[in-house]
Amino acid sequence: MTIRLTLIDLSSGERSQTYDLPPEALPDAFSPGMAVELGAREWRIERAEPPTRAEWDAKGSLELFVRELVPLDPSKILFSLPTIEDALPPTQPGDRTSARVLFADDWRQTELIAPSLRAEIDAELADIRAIRSSGRGAGFPEIHIRKRIPAPLAGTDIQLEDVAVGPQKGLTVEDEPGVVQGGFVFDLGDGTLYGRVDGGRVVILAADGVEEELLTALAKKLGLLLVDWLGARVVG
């Protein structure tokens, strides 16, 4: 006994291939989304008719409605951002209930940096601008991972009270465990000022969705440079 298996390609509506297979060569069920390889091509199953093994065994035939799985061309994959920071902040066990959640890709995309690191800033900006200039439509052919400035406030002595603008919250990064070690968040209108404290000093000071005018004023007050990495610019 064999089961006549017919593939129906939903992209073209054609009956593309037919196979006579022994029942034991077939699984107990074909579920939507399952991938099968037949005829040296890979297919994604949308549905099976009849849907159960008992029915196709009794009928002696089975139709699989499929779409071909075509491998992606790596050269056509586009990134939504031109750059991200290399390392996420360290975390520790803590209550995430009232903490501010930050997407990993948003970590340190707009931040304040010590002027002594201007050479490193310019080198990172040059790499980002090269990628931005090669962008296609809504994406970028590659993504620059920033590694030159692991300690953006090195050599400074900024205290948490120097940047406090309201009630303090904890900070978490989406899909990362616990809370950010030494993390803090202050609400500023529709956005947030956030960062990390280590050894009594602010070691990361960044912003998400904060008005540029407020940030430039804060940068001037603290003697820092305001860098918009996504826009590939030093602000002000």
Side-chain angles (χ1 to χ4, degrees), residues 213-226:
E213 184 179 353
L214 294 175
L215 291 177
T216 53
L218 181 61
K220 183 176 181 180
K221 169 190 169 184
L222 299 175
L224 303 173
L225 298 175
L226 175 59

Side-chain angles (χ1 to χ4, degrees), residues 165 186-193 209-211 214-215 218:
V165 291
F186 297 109
D187 287 324
L188 274 173
D190 293 332
T192 55
L193 186 70
V210 178
E211 291 183 10
L214 294 175
L215 291 177
L218 181 61

Side-chain angles (χ1 to χ4, degrees), residues 26-222:
L26 298 173
D28 290 335
F30 287 101
S31 56
M34 179 186 290
V36 295
E37 186 174 339
L38 290 167
R41 297 162 73 181
E42 192 169 10
W43 307 88
R44 186 185 73 237
I45 295 172
E46 299 292 339
R47 71 180 189 274
E49 293 184 2
T52 68
R53 184 184 187 98
E55 290 176 293
W56 72 61
D57 278 349
K59 185 178 181 181
S61 64
L62 167 66
E63 292 182 336
L64 291 182
F65 294 80
V66 297
R67 295 186 191 277
E68 185 174 6
L69 291 173
V70 180
L72 289 175
D73 181 351
S75 66
K76 295 181 180 179
I77 296 175
L78 296 179
F79 296 93
S80 60
L81 300 175
T83 181
I84 57 172
E85 175 59 30
D86 177 49
L88 292 174
T91 60
Q92 63 185 22
D95 182 10
R96 298 168 61 98
T97 306
S98 60
R100 168 76 154 82
V101 180
L102 188 74
F103 291 110
D105 286 351
D106 292 335
W107 175 248
R108 291 179 55 189
Q109 293 290 31
T110 299
E111 64 177 330
L112 284 76
I113 302 180
S116 60
L117 296 170
R118 183 62 194 247
E120 289 84 351
I121 293 171
D122 288 342
E124 296 282 22
L125 291 177
D127 289 340
I128 297 168
R129 286 168 182 151
I131 289 175
R132 283 171 57 87
S133 67
S134 62
R136 301 197 300 270
F140 304 91
E142 56 184 314
I143 188 168
H144 173 61
I145 300 176
R146 306 189 303 276
K147 299 183 178 183
R148 296 182 178 94
I149 310 176
L153 298 181
T156 66
D157 187 23
I158 298 171
Q159 306 298 306
L160 189 58
E161 54 264 31
D162 296 328
V163 300
V165 291
Q168 182 180 341
K169 297 180 182 178
L171 176 64
T172 69
V173 178
E174 188 182 44
D175 296 331
E176 293 294 306
V179 296
V180 173
Q181 194 175 93
F184 64 85
V185 170
F186 297 109
D187 287 324
L188 274 173
D190 293 332
T192 55
L193 186 70
Y194 69 90
R196 285 190 63 231
V197 173
D198 187 19
R201 295 187 306 106
V202 177
V203 294
I204 301 286
L205 186 57
D208 181 35
V210 178
E211 291 183 10
E212 197 170 281
E213 184 179 353
L214 294 175
L215 291 177
T216 53
L218 181 61
K220 183 176 181 180
K221 169 190 169 184
L222 299 175

